[in-house]
Amino acid sequence: MSARYFSKKLWGRMRYAPTLTDERGAFSLFAFGWGRGGLLWKAKGEGFLKDVSWLNELDFKTSYGTQGNSSIPPYSTSSYVGKVGQKKGGMSLGFVSLGNPDLGWEHQSKFTVGVKARLLSRLDLNVEYYNRITSNMLFEVPLPYTSGMPAGNEGYATRYENVGRYLN
């Protein structure tokens, strides 16, 4: 279930355009809440730039937002029991997965600032700088052989954990 709230208000002759987005809801693995906000300033509409004939358009923009990722297999947060082998012709049961009840969303935040201009009715310029940080990254972390867990496809037992941070 997800609800989105979006508001946008333009003042004057569309010189300032703020945006705000809020997203709340639930997911089968984790609850979430993400948001984004931004501001656009159409500077060419200001009185001190209206008479500059070689400048057709000049916009400044900035934004900040967060989002998440939960791309992991189902049941990764829970432990469960299954067949782990046979002994004397009978089936042996044991843990086939050690869940992680502390598992949460992979979190991403992004800040962007930029300028867009059109010069002499021919030259378009768009320059942006962004800083994106991903934290609590979802990784399959190897478990020690002494955990008693059966080896997976990789040849060792694993479980998902929130580890790592990445700057892009």
Side-chain angles (χ1 to χ4, degrees):
M1 181 171 109
S2 175
R4 293 181 186 211
Y5 305 97
F6 179 78
S7 68
K8 189 173 185 179
K9 187 170 182 176
L10 303 175
W11 289 292
R13 298 172 59 192
M14 289 187 59
R15 291 188 311 214
Y16 307 97
T19 60
L20 181 63
T21 304
D22 183 41
E23 198 172 311
R24 302 278 174 205
F27 180 68
S28 62
L29 295 174
F30 322 116
F32 70 90
W34 310 115
R36 291 170 284 291
L39 179 64
L40 171 68
W41 175 36
K42 294 189 160 287
K44 179 61 177 167
E46 300 292 343
F48 63 90
L49 287 175
K50 282 189 178 190
D51 296 331
V52 180
S53 60
W54 55 268
L55 182 64
N56 306 101
E57 180 181 347
L58 180 62
D59 299 343
F60 295 95
K61 55 190 172 181
T62 186
S63 66
Y64 177 80
T66 59
Q67 66 183 23
N69 174 24
S70 64
S71 297
I72 59 174
Y75 312 114
S76 296
T77 58
S78 301
S79 298
Y80 60 96
V81 174
K83 181 181 174 185
V84 293
Q86 290 187 349
K87 186 172 184 177
K88 295 184 182 180
M91 182 172 56
S92 296
L93 295 177
F95 283 106
V96 292
S97 171
L98 279 181
N100 185 351
D102 298 324
L103 202 58
W105 283 90
E106 182 175 284
H107 183 263
Q108 197 175 88
S109 59
K110 182 178 178 185
F111 170 75
T112 306
V113 63
V115 62
K116 179 180 172 186
R118 182 161 178 85
L119 312 171
L120 303 170
S121 299
R122 294 179 182 262
L123 180 63
D124 290 315
L125 176 68
N126 191 4
V127 177
E128 288 188 2
Y129 167 80
Y130 74 91
N131 184 5
R132 182 184 349 214
I133 298 173
T134 305
S135 58
N136 292 331
M137 296 172 68
L138 293 167
F139 279 109
E140 269 188 282
V141 176
L143 294 172
Y145 288 110
T146 57
S147 68
M149 297 299 299
N153 294 337
E154 301 84 9
Y156 48 86
T158 63
R159 86 172 186 172
Y160 280 94
E161 292 187 13
N162 292 103
V163 294
R165 182 177 166 98
Y166 182 72
L167 173 64
N168 182 6

